[in-house]
Amino acid sequence: MPDQIRRQAPRIIAITNQKGGVGKTTTSINLAAALVELGARVLLIDIDPQGNASTGLGIEANQRKLSSYDIVLEGKPLKDVIQQTAWEGLFIGPANADLASADVQLGHQERRTRHLRDALRNPSVQALNLDYILIDCPPSLSLLTVNALVAADSVLVPLQSEFFALEGLSQLMLTIREIRNSGNADLRIEGIVLTMYDARNRLSLMVERDARDNLGDLVFRTVIPRNVRLSEAPSYAQPVLTYDPLSKGSEAYRALAREVTSRHSPLMQEKGAA
Ligand code: ADP
Ligand code: MG
C-alpha cells in the first residue's frame, strides 16, 4: 500500500474476555496472521503474564529482554519493545512473567489506567506504519485489561460456545460502559465471535441463537469451529494459517479478518478483495 494513503493511526483492538480458555490468544494470533495475509502490517501486544501469544509466535522467554511490562510500567517507547516475528508484517510486543505483578504496581500509580494508551497513541508510533494493533488480554478484568480497554478503539470478544458463556458477557459489557464513562468515551465493540463452535452439538447452536437474538449485529457472521489444527499450531510456534493453511481453522480466521476489515476500513477491504 503506498505510504501516502496508509492510515495515519493504526486501529487498536483489545481481545478481551475475563474468562480463561475461551480462545482469546488463539484469536489474537490467528486474526493477526490473517490480517497480515490480507496485506496489513499488524502488531500483536501480549499483556497476559502467561505469554502464550508470544510463545505461539515463536518468541521464547529468553528472547524477551523487553516486554509489554516495559511499555505499561516503565514508560518505554513501543518501538524499543516490539520485535519482528518470522512473518513479514507481523510484529509482537511480547509478555513476560514480570507482568504478573503489574496490577499491584499499577495500583499505586497516578494515570494507572492510561499507560498503554499513552504508549500506543504516541505520535512516534506512526513511523511504524501499522494498520492494526491487537492486544491479547489476560483472563481477568484487572488493571492490565483496563489499560487495554482504555487504549483501544474497540473490543473484540471471543465467546466460547458453551453453557454460561453469555453470563460472563454481561459483566464485560458493564466494564465497557464504565470505561466509556471514565477513560475512553469512544470505545466501541468490534464484535463478538463464537469460538470452539461445533455445529453437531446442540449446545453450540443454542449459544449461537441466544447470542444472535440478544446481541444482533454485534455477533460476527463468522464462527470459529472447534478444530484440532488450531490447538496444535502453537506447539509448532506458528499461526494455523502457516501450520495448516487449508484447515477449517485457517479458513475461519481468514473469514473473520475479512469481516473485521470490511466493517471499518474500505481501504483494507479493497486490498482483501484484490
Ligand atoms: P484464552 O487465551 O482465552 O485463555 P486460548 O486461545 O489459549 O484461550 O484457548 C484455550 C485452549 O483451547 C488452547 O489450548 C487452545 O489451543 C484451544 N483452542 C482455542 N480455540 C480453539 C478452537 N477453535 N478449536 C480447538 N481448540 C481451540
Ligand atoms: Mg490467553
Side-chain angles (χ1 to χ4, degrees):
M1 190 191 312
D3 277 343
Q4 64 272 23
I5 58 167
R6 198 180 272 284
R7 288 153 36 84
Q8 285 299 295
R11 171 152 216 94
I12 305 172
I13 305 176
I15 300 183
T16 310
N17 185 326
Q18 74 274 26
K19 276 184 128 181
V22 299
K24 287 182 292 298
T25 299
T26 304
T27 298
S28 299
I29 291 175
N30 294 300
L31 177 60
L35 288 167
V36 167
E37 232 184 46
L38 289 178
R41 281 168 65 88
V42 182
L43 167 63
L44 172 54
I45 301 187
D46 185 0
I47 60 165
D48 184 346
Q50 296 187 54
N52 293 340
S54 313
T55 316
L57 286 175
I59 311 294
E60 296 297 333
N62 62 10
Q63 295 171 266
R64 302 175 203 163
K65 280 199 204 74
L66 291 181
S67 74
S68 54
Y69 177 93
D70 297 283
I71 303 173
V72 180
L73 281 128
E74 303 287 341
K76 288 252 163 51
L78 193 66
K79 67 171 175 36
D80 293 353
V81 172
I82 69 176
Q83 301 185 29
Q84 164 83 60
T85 66
W87 296 274
E88 200 187 333
L90 180 55
F91 302 84
I92 181 133
N96 71 20
D98 295 345
L99 280 168
S101 65
D103 259 62
V104 179
Q105 295 182 49
L106 282 168
H108 301 299
Q109 295 186 15
E110 248 183 281
R111 294 181 66 78
R112 58 193 184 166
T113 63
R114 306 190 67 80
H115 293 258
L116 191 56
R117 183 183 179 94
D118 291 346
L120 300 191
R121 290 168 187 258
N122 187 292
S124 67
V125 171
Q126 275 181 28
L128 300 170
N129 268 327
L130 297 166
D131 297 295
Y132 289 90
I133 299 178
L134 307 185
I135 309 171
D136 184 22
C137 291
S140 67
L141 294 172
S142 63
L143 273 171
L144 275 173
T145 298
V146 170
N147 258 269
L149 295 176
V150 170
D153 295 303
S154 62
V155 197
L156 191 156
V157 184
L159 195 70
Q160 191 179 349
S161 313
E162 58 150 38
F163 205 57
F164 293 136
L166 285 159
E167 288 190 7
L169 203 57
S170 52
Q171 180 60 44
L172 179 58
M173 293 300 171
L174 269 178
T175 305
I176 291 171
R177 222 168 292 151
E178 279 168 28
I179 302 270
R180 282 179 183 148
N181 289 330
S182 51
N184 185 3
D186 299 327
L187 181 63
R188 289 186 315 92
I189 297 175
E190 188 71 42
I192 292 153
V193 61
L194 291 162
T195 61
M196 301 183 224
Y197 186 88
D198 179 355
R200 293 161 306 182
N201 183 334
R202 262 191 60 209
L203 197 50
S204 278
L205 300 171
M206 276 167 58
V207 172
E208 179 180 20
R209 200 190 54 209
D210 253 22
R212 294 196 192 282
D213 284 353
N214 287 300
L215 302 157
D217 284 346
L218 283 182
V219 183
F220 284 105
R221 286 189 304 278
T222 304
V223 299
I224 309 297
R226 192 173 274 289
N227 176 232
V228 68
R229 303 309 248 172
L230 278 167
S231 52
E232 289 168 2
S235 49
Y236 295 87
Q238 289 187 46
V240 76
L241 281 87
T242 60
Y243 171 64
D244 187 350
L246 300 179
S247 62
K248 289 260 186 314
S250 296
E251 289 303 343
Y253 278 107
R254 283 190 193 105
L256 183 65
R258 284 193 299 270
E259 261 196 82
V260 167
T261 58
S262 66
R263 279 190 178 193
H264 298 297
S265 164
L267 197 60
M268 292 297 300
Q269 193 178 10
E270 277 169 31
K271 277 172 67 170

